[in-house]
Amino acid sequence: MEETIRKAISGSGADYVEVRIEKGSRSQVFFRKDRLENIESSTESGGIVRALVNGGWGIAVFNDLSDLKSKVREASRVAGHVASRIDDRAALAEAPVVRDEVRVSLKQDFREVPLQEKKKLVESYNRILLSGGEKIVSTIARYTDSFREITYSNSEGTFLIQEVPDVTLMLAAVASDGGANIQQGFETLGEAGGFEVVLDREREAEGATRRAVDMLKAKSVQGGKYTVILDPSLAGVFIHEAFGHFCEADFLFKNERLAKIMTLGTAFGNEDLNVVDDGYIPGRRGNTRYDDEGVARTKTYLIRKGRLEGLLHSRETAKRMGAAPTGNARATSYEHEPIVRMRNTYIEGGSATFDGMLAGIDRGLYAVKAYGGQTVFEQFTFSAAYGQEIVDGKLGDMVRDVVLTGNVFDTLRSIDQIGDDLEIIGGSGGCGKGGQYPLPVTDGSPHIRIQNVTVGGAR
Ligand SMILES: [Zn+2]
């Protein structure tokens, strides 16, 4: 393979060429309510050439390897054409030339599990979801797996082979009181692991269906300002969605005002606040031992001791900003070029205990799991899956319709306690950006306490 790629690249006339070839297999089983909506397994292979000529990029996607030489020519020709029409020329920061092979060994390789066995398992979880009683009106039980072998080579001499496994499970139940009150309970998980990850998840299915029904009885939260404790799952989504995307250097080129706010050294929180984006944590979905430009994994502090310390870079954004590449150039598949993306992003653990956080709160709210959310520049809106009142330092009744809104920078500064119970969580979805979705990532956090959070009472 290496020889084939070398030959195709040589004599391209481009300043830089890279080739990424992917061989993959995937399967999916999806039940909704009492129906099997989808069951499939497939294999796919293809590749992409990216060429840089005089500061212009060209790409060419292919499925047939015997085309490689002509695809290199095509990408170079496009790049030359682009270069003739732009003023803003791309260049790449230096990156070490590497040669490596990253193989994984799975405890129980999902490629060897028959599709019918996967179906049986997902169906059994779906039955549990449906068993929540007559109030359950719909369910989702969805399993996915994929295994990719990615070969990467560039004209500088880097040659890499990496195996990337991914397995996810989503279990959700929807309950209705027959009227307008419709509630959901769900559990999602995802890891860079084997079939064992999704086994023995009966308790998760039971929990999801029970919560959907319980939430029908919960009262709607009263809107207002609260001292809020976020659970690790919701806090993780917050740090990824509301803050992490601003740390992607390519985003800042498009937004001058935010680029100013995101000046290295700026204080964003108290001394205890540390936020990390890490390219390797055993078993995690966001793992990128080498990114899709062949840059080795880094552990990057975005915030250290409350101050902005780093941004996330591709080789191109690193060059533009005079920084070092961080290994964050990622593509969802061979059909796309790499762009700056997060990996495993989390708030580091602190020293507070959950009980200690509760103790100081007269009237507050415990918000658990993200149900959905959106951000418009610095303003975020997140729906929690559910909440619990906090009264005189103790957890009280369940509440629903918990919607948190705020300005991300004000909110970071209002974090006054950080728990000692860091959890890194891989859900079943992924991150979307620039038309590339879903990219496997994880996020995480310990419990965190935030002062003065605006809570709305309607979804
Ligand atoms: Zn995202």
Side-chain angles (χ1 to χ4, degrees):
M1 176 74 91
E2 184 172 9
E3 192 55 27
T4 310
I5 298 174
R6 286 262 158 270
K7 271 192 190 148
I9 290 178
S10 70
S12 69
D15 302 320
Y16 169 87
V17 183
E18 67 185 13
V19 175
R20 177 158 44 89
I21 294 166
E22 195 175 306
K23 277 194 304 192
S25 63
R26 62 184 68 239
S27 76
Q28 184 185 145
V29 179
F30 176 20
F31 280 88
R32 190 202 301 270
K33 212 174 167 186
D34 46 9
R35 272 187 44 196
L36 178 61
E37 290 266 333
N38 188 26
I39 180 165
E40 65 175 329
S41 67
S42 59
T43 59
E44 195 178 20
S45 62
I48 185 168
V49 178
R50 200 165 65 132
L52 187 63
V53 174
N54 197 18
W57 282 115
I59 63 169
V61 174
F62 59 90
N63 289 100
D64 183 356
L65 199 60
S66 65
D67 270 0
L68 193 53
K69 184 117 195 157
S70 71
K71 289 295 169 180
V72 169
R73 273 202 299 268
E74 181 186 327
S76 305
R77 197 166 55 236
V78 172
H81 186 66
V82 167
S84 69
R85 299 190 314 178
I86 54 169
D87 307 317
D88 193 15
R89 300 194 185 281
L92 300 177
E94 297 271 325
V97 170
V98 282
R99 302 180 59 81
D100 201 358
E101 235 177 82
V102 180
R103 300 285 179 190
V104 297
S105 74
L106 300 177
K107 222 186 216 170
Q108 190 177 350
D109 193 331
F110 47 72
R111 292 172 297 175
E112 285 157 16
V113 178
L115 197 54
Q116 283 306 315
E117 197 175 313
K118 294 172 185 172
K119 181 192 157 205
K120 240 171 81 186
L121 181 73
V122 181
E123 191 168 22
S124 73
Y125 294 147
N126 193 51
R127 258 200 305 275
I128 296 172
L129 292 168
L130 286 166
S131 73
E134 59 195 10
K135 295 216 162 29
I136 299 295
V137 293
S138 191
T139 65
I140 290 173
R142 182 195 278 131
Y143 164 90
T144 71
D145 63 43
S146 84
F147 193 98
R148 301 187 298 150
E149 186 201 74
I150 301 165
T151 303
Y152 174 90
S153 182
N154 68 29
S155 53
E156 295 168 350
T158 285
F159 184 82
L160 297 165
I161 298 175
Q162 293 191 82
E163 291 178 339
V164 183
D166 191 60
V167 59
T168 76
L169 183 67
M170 156 99 175
L171 302 171
V174 180
S176 165
D177 68 351
N181 189 1
I182 293 168
Q183 298 297 326
Q184 194 184 145
F186 63 89
E187 291 286 342
T188 67
L189 55 114
E191 284 184 31
F195 197 61
E196 72 282 354
V197 171
V198 298
L199 296 175
D200 305 322
R201 298 297 180 174
E202 288 78 11
R203 272 179 44 198
E204 279 84 348
E206 284 158 15
T209 201
R210 192 179 335 113
R211 199 165 322 114
V213 174
D214 285 351
M215 290 300 291
L216 288 175
K217 292 172 282 186
K219 58 188 175 187
S220 192
V221 69
Q222 199 181 345
K225 290 237 179 203
Y226 288 84
T227 299
V228 171
I229 299 176
L230 302 188
D231 85 317
S233 170
L234 183 50
V237 170
F238 165 75
I239 205 64
H240 171 109
E241 290 296 341
F243 179 71
H245 281 290
F246 291 162
C247 297
E248 295 168 341
D250 56 347
F251 178 80
L252 299 179
F253 297 141
K254 296 170 204 146
N255 193 307
E256 234 174 88
R257 194 174 58 81
L258 270 168
K260 239 180 225 156
I261 295 172
M262 296 295 287
T263 303
L264 297 186
T266 305
F268 281 152
N270 74 39
E271 278 269 305
D272 303 333
L273 182 64
N274 297 297
V275 179
V276 169
D277 181 79
D278 194 341
Y280 186 74
I281 303 170
R284 297 309 169 186
R285 294 188 78 202
N287 285 351
T288 308
R289 296 288 278 274
Y290 297 91
D291 73 0
D292 290 319
E293 291 182 325
V295 175
R297 162 252 177 172
T298 61
K299 177 178 177 179
T300 304
Y301 273 85
L302 304 175
I303 294 178
R304 198 185 319 237
K305 294 189 170 174
R307 290 182 184 277
L308 185 67
E309 176 158 301
L311 298 172
L312 303 176
H313 287 290
S314 62
R315 291 183 65 183
E316 183 180 344
T317 67
K319 179 74 176 178
R320 278 177 198 266
M321 295 182 78
T326 52
N328 287 84
R330 303 181 64 195
T332 48
S333 79
Y334 69 88
E335 291 168 296
H336 297 282
E337 57 192 320
I339 54 177
V340 181
R341 306 299 295 262
M342 281 174 267
R343 302 164 300 189
N344 304 299
T345 313
Y346 60 92
I347 299 174
E348 277 190 341
S351 57
T353 62
F354 186 67
D355 288 342
M357 285 187 201
L358 281 174
I361 303 175
D362 296 334
R363 178 174 170 272
L365 192 67
Y366 179 38
V368 182
K369 288 181 158 199
Y371 178 69
Q374 57 173 344
T375 61
V376 180
F377 296 110
E378 301 103 298
Q379 290 301 124
F380 65 84
T381 305
F382 289 130
S383 300
Y386 63 96
Q388 250 181 298
E389 291 178 338
I390 301 170
V391 183
D392 296 330
K394 292 202 174 60
L395 287 174
D397 293 341
M398 296 260 280
V399 287
R400 58 182 167 85
D401 306 328
V402 176
V403 180
L404 312 172
T405 63
N407 172 294
V408 59
F409 299 108
D410 294 343
T411 305
L412 286 172
R413 288 186 188 101
S414 303
I415 296 174
D416 73 341
Q417 292 209 34
I418 297 175
D420 59 3
D421 51 359
L422 169 65
E423 268 184 69
I424 306 221
I425 297 153
S428 65
C431 177
K433 178 180 173 184
Q436 296 192 43
Y437 173 86
L439 185 78
V441 295
T442 69
D443 40 54
S445 174
H447 281 92
I448 57 172
R449 192 172 85 174
I450 314 173
Q451 296 293 335
N452 276 318
V453 179
T454 301
V455 177
R459 181 133 73 208

